[in-house]
Amino acid sequence: MSSTVSLRPLTRIEGHLSVHTETEPFNENNDARRVTEARCEGEMFRGFENVLVGRDPLDAQQITQRICGVCPISHGIASVRAQEMAYGITPNHNGRILQNLIFAANQLQSHVLHFYHLAALDFIDVKAILKYSGNDRTLKALQDWVTHAVSSNELFPVAPFLPQWEADYVENVDFNVGLLAHYVEALNIRRLCHEMGAVFGARLPHSTALIPGGCTQVPTEQGILAYSSRLKQIFSFIRDVYLSDLIQVAQGFPQYFKIGRGCGNYLCYGVFLMDSSGAKHIRPGAVIGNRWEPLDASAIREEVSCSRYQATAPLHPSRGETVPDPNKHGAYSWIKAPRYRGQVMEVGPLARLMVNYHDPDNTAVKQEVDVFLKKHDVALDQMKSVLGRHVARGLEAMRIARLAMQWIQELRLNEPPAEEFEIPKTAVGAGLTEAPRGALGHWLEIENHRIKRYQCVVPTTWNCSPHDDQGHPGAVEQALTGISIENPSQPIEIGRVVRSFDPCLACSIH
Ligand code: NFE
Ligand code: MG
């Protein structure tokens, strides 16, 4: 008889993800057992797509940002891209740069958040702080906190640090305490990212300044200084702290270059407009098997056979429907199942890396990745793993910070920050971009100057999708299948695999 191991909720924020795994039976010795099947369940319906129907299209970039507090700018950008197509405009010079700068700030915030605050505690032995003998005030405060909690058995007040699962942590006090110190420092870096985004975004996390065609804020010398001074600090944190912590974790847990491979297909819509032609710094494309192909957005379908929505044939998002059916027979999740040419696709930093690496016209990314892989003796194929996803995210943070340093110098004082537009009576538009967690699309239909249809297909919808009508499990479900669990009551392996995708359930169901 197989055993079931279920975790709910699984993520440290943006909750309501449950993961259920079937494993080979555990014997009396409790030997590690392989996962034979996995199911991702999104537990809550939200309904943003339906809330938008009948509204002024200009409400969309404000309302869709509320889908999530972690990646709001991605939704704002996807929405303004969809509207720009519908209105027949592209951002002017300043509009494009300002959007890129606000977006970069939010992407950097999200990558730092993910590594330190959502994932790192899977790899840190928090109780190592009890052996700390230095004088750092923050670490001493953390030590007092943990000492009190452990001695009084009151673990709740030290969440999210304790309680934590027993696992194969690295037995080195400096390793663990160093990561804890950076966990705290990263909180400050995220504050700087939010402040940096608010310089031109007016406020964060939900920017009021994003509009179709650009931004409502004009570039000023003070703004440029305020942005650059923060960017310099963030840049050096990523280069000197984040990347070196990533390498330490990779050296401490090398087995995770072999665990959590997943479906092996990668999709990227591309992000950060380079000019008015629509070309993007991170380029779009797909890799199926090891074969690269240009992106064909007409090949996207969402299907709902295992999702709690009224059954339809698989639909392109421009024709998509969201009709909840909570008691649908055979359905086990509120997440839909997007597919590309009928294939399960992984999205996110690893997908962007793979798609850009294999893109025949993009030798720069290949060179950069090859230098890293050679230096650390990692094969490209090993990147299809838990650690590969973390490494891809870190390398990308570095690339985005470098790009932002370029963009901030390209703003033109005394030029308008946005293109003008009129809302047509009838129009359609699609906004394809990359959120921190992967490919994000908004599809919009306008009738009588109002929104008639609004559909979002979101990164975690791709990654945490349930089985489809062909019986193919989603990307995270596939990454879990085949892993071994040492201890069914402390299934840290499941947490490490799933969190390497950085799931956001608020986004995935929207
Ligand atoms: Ni709510 Fe989001 C997802 C990202 S979508 S965090 O999935 O990144 O824009
Ligand atoms: Mg949707």
Side-chain angles (χ1 to χ4, degrees), residues 122-141:
D122 291 344
F123 300 98
I124 301 174
D125 178 8
V126 172
K127 287 187 186 157
I129 192 75
L130 298 174
K131 297 187 184 141
Y132 176 65
S133 56
N135 285 321
D136 181 90
R137 267 175 52 224
T138 307
L139 289 174
K140 282 175 78 76

Side-chain angles (χ1 to χ4, degrees), residues 164-473:
Q164 69 170 169
W165 282 326
E166 287 159 23
D168 52 350
Y169 301 115
V170 172
E171 285 179 28
N172 176 312
V173 174
D174 291 344
F175 172 96
N176 292 299
V177 171
L179 282 167
L180 282 173
H182 298 157
Y183 179 108
V184 178
E185 193 180 343
L187 292 168
N188 192 40
I189 295 299
R190 285 174 50 211
R191 179 177 60 79
L192 288 174
C193 291
H194 273 323
E195 288 175 1
M196 186 170 89
V199 169
F200 301 117
R203 66 192 287 278
L204 257 286
H206 302 112
S207 164
T208 42
L210 286 176
I211 47 163
C215 177
T216 59
Q217 302 285 302
V218 288
T220 60
E221 275 170 17
Q222 294 97 309
I224 292 170
L225 270 177
Y227 192 100
S228 330
S229 62
R230 287 170 177 83
L231 180 58
K232 273 189 200 137
Q233 298 174 66
I234 296 161
F235 183 93
S236 70
F237 178 84
I238 293 168
R239 186 191 54 197
D240 304 333
V241 181
Y242 179 10
L243 288 183
S244 103
D245 283 347
L246 261 177
I247 289 158
Q248 281 212 55
V249 167
Q251 287 168 347
F253 299 84
Q255 66 276 27
Y256 277 90
F257 272 124
K258 296 192 187 124
I259 296 175
R261 179 182 179 89
C263 62
N265 299 330
Y266 302 100
L267 180 69
C268 172
Y269 295 161
V271 64
F272 298 128
L273 290 179
M274 296 173 81
D275 52 39
S276 56
S277 74
K280 295 173 178 176
H281 285 276
I282 296 177
R283 294 157 63 100
V287 171
I288 298 181
N290 274 326
R291 201 174 52 78
W292 177 90
E293 62 176 54
L295 175 69
D296 173 7
S298 70
I300 300 164
R301 295 284 181 282
E302 273 197 312
E303 78 89 44
V304 293
S305 53
C306 291
S307 313
R308 297 187 179 114
Y309 299 94
Q310 231 168 57
T312 58
L315 292 171
H316 187 265
S318 60
R319 314 300 314 155
E321 292 172 13
T322 302
V323 185
D325 186 355
N327 301 313
K328 188 169 125 185
H329 181 70
Y332 65 90
S333 180
W334 284 104
I335 304 175
K336 294 182 183 177
R339 298 290 184 259
Y340 178 79
R341 296 197 195 298
Q343 301 279 333
V344 178
M345 307 297 285
E346 175 172 342
V347 300
L350 175 63
R352 292 192 278 265
L353 181 146
M354 286 295 176
V355 166
N356 280 264
Y357 186 95
H358 289 288
D359 182 334
D361 295 325
N362 195 356
T363 47
V365 167
K366 183 169 182 329
Q367 274 168 10
E368 182 191 310
V369 173
D370 281 341
V371 166
F372 181 91
L373 296 179
K374 188 154 181 251
K375 182 165 172 201
H376 298 286
D377 197 21
V378 177
L380 182 67
D381 204 55
Q382 290 178 286
M383 291 290 285
K384 300 171 181 174
S385 63
V386 168
L387 284 177
R389 292 187 189 95
H390 288 297
V391 166
R393 202 171 280 113
L395 292 176
E396 183 176 86
M398 199 66 237
R399 193 175 314 131
I400 293 173
R402 270 203 207 101
L403 284 167
M405 290 213 158
Q406 247 170 264
W407 296 326
I408 191 71
Q409 296 173 35
E410 293 174 14
L411 284 171
R412 296 179 190 155
L413 302 176
N414 310 317
E415 279 191 25
E419 196 61 44
E420 299 200 356
F421 60 84
E422 274 181 29
I423 301 178
K425 187 165 180 212
T426 305
V428 292
L432 302 186
T433 187
E434 287 286 320
R437 286 153 195 76
L440 170 67
H442 286 195
W443 282 262
L444 161 73
E445 191 177 342
I446 298 172
E447 194 177 85
N448 287 328
H449 304 287
R450 295 269 148 182
I451 296 173
K452 182 180 178 206
R453 184 194 310 266
Y454 204 101
Q455 287 284 307
C456 312
V457 182
V458 179
T460 302
T461 322
W462 286 97
N463 286 338
C464 287
S465 74
H467 288 46
D468 57 32
D469 56 350
Q470 303 299 309
H472 297 134

